Amino acid sequence: MTLYEGALDTAIATGAEPVGAVITRGGTSVASYIQPLADDIEIVGAPGETNLEAVLASQPDIILAPGWTSPQQYRLLSLIAPTVAPDVPPYQSDSWIRETRIFARALGREAQGEAAIDKVQRRIAEVAKLVAANVPEGQRDAAIVRWMPQGALVMSPGIFSATLLAAVGFDVSDAGLVNAGRPHSHPLSEENLSAIDQSWLFLATLNKDGKEALDAASRSPAFRRLQAVENGQVVAVDGQEWTSASGPLVAGQILDAVAAAVSGRKP
């Protein structure tokens, strides 16, 4: 049983067969990238809102929970099955590696976990060469932004996708808008869009409402003045993958998107 997207990703990457999972943020099921691999997995809640009765009914052998699970929730889950909630500092470049190893060890699949990590690191090296070859050194500044109906959220350089961007050579900035320990900023008004004026914008939406809000904003003069827009370096990405998920499998998706964005560009 997995109660965290990173745990679901790792479980499947190491060949385990989880019996349940929580929905992705802003969605109604697990993230679309992992749905084909998760089959018809039972949904037992949302991030931070676990349905304990559903977990109990699934009779899991082990529960993989997020590190932010409260002591009270941990005690309740532990009454159902042995529960693992990694005590790993969030928003660090190696947070996902440490979580992968802990979850893999809990599943008795340490070798498979190391193989999954190695695969990601090899792909990072490949994409880093593409970035170095195709993006001039002084033009690798970037921001990741999730567009919501209430406005643009600047994502922390510590979130999973941002650490991958940094690993392949981008200089990811939050323009000082994200408080320490938080995943993103407060929504930006249209007047403040210049705060995200970077050479590259990786622009994410979670669902149809976010996409409609972005379509409306993209017609505004403030948005069109952004240098990433003027240079054709706004990259539309999947918000479920870039701003919610973590783990070896989604790392491949994110790195493939970066490779596609920079391929063909010449300094």
Side-chain angles (χ1 to χ4, degrees):
M1 173 67 65
T2 63
L3 304 180
Y4 169 49
E5 288 188 79
L8 175 64
D9 188 299
T10 297
I12 293 178
T14 58
E17 296 181 3
V19 297
V22 295
I23 62 172
T24 188
R25 200 173 305 278
T28 58
S29 184
V30 296
S32 55
Y33 83 92
I34 208 164
Q35 284 181 14
L37 302 173
D39 295 325
D40 55 349
I41 193 168
E42 183 177 357
I43 298 300
V44 296
E49 299 178 18
T50 302
N51 183 333
L52 289 175
E53 291 183 356
V55 175
L56 179 62
S58 296
Q59 299 182 310
D61 296 323
I62 189 169
I63 298 172
L64 306 183
W68 60 81
T69 301
S70 70
Q72 180 185 20
Q73 185 82 348
Y74 183 85
R75 285 193 293 272
L76 292 172
L77 291 170
S78 297
L79 293 174
I80 298 173
T83 300
V84 176
D87 183 17
V88 171
Y91 309 127
Q92 305 295 312
S93 61
D94 65 345
S95 295
W96 75 274
I97 294 175
R98 297 169 68 178
E99 287 185 350
T100 296
R101 286 177 172 152
I102 291 170
F103 288 138
R105 188 182 311 126
L107 294 167
R109 296 173 179 271
E110 292 168 279
Q112 294 92 331
E114 290 302 320
I117 292 169
D118 288 346
K119 183 177 180 180
V120 173
Q121 291 177 328
R122 288 196 301 273
R123 186 59 175 147
I124 286 174
E126 293 171 354
V127 178
K129 289 181 180 177
L130 275 177
V131 172
N134 295 318
V135 183
E137 190 170 350
Q139 298 176 24
R140 297 175 193 165
D141 53 305
I144 301 174
V145 172
R146 183 167 75 200
W147 213 283
M148 304 292 284
Q150 62 269 39
L153 304 179
V154 181
M155 307 305 294
S156 165
I159 67 167
F160 179 59
S161 60
T163 65
L164 293 177
L165 264 186
V168 300
F170 280 95
D171 179 14
V172 185
S173 172
D174 65 0
L177 296 170
V178 182
N179 294 328
R182 301 296 303 166
H184 55 69
S185 70
H186 296 296
L188 291 183
S189 65
E190 186 175 319
E191 292 76 19
N192 291 326
L193 285 181
S194 60
I196 56 173
D197 199 12
Q198 305 288 323
S199 295
W200 290 79
L201 270 186
F202 292 86
L203 213 46
T205 55
L206 283 176
N207 51 34
K208 182 182 177 184
D209 289 344
K211 177 67 166 55
E212 289 176 349
L214 174 59
D215 289 344
S218 64
R219 293 190 289 272
S220 72
F223 187 90
R224 292 199 298 268
R225 283 195 295 270
L226 296 175
Q227 58 177 317
V229 177
E230 292 179 346
N231 296 336
Q233 293 177 165
V234 177
V235 184
V237 296
D238 187 325
Q240 293 182 359
E241 297 174 3
W242 280 67
T243 68
S244 184
S246 64
L249 295 177
V250 76
Q253 300 289 114
I254 293 169
L255 291 166
D256 285 351
V258 177
V262 304
S263 292
R265 293 181 178 274
K266 296 296 181 184

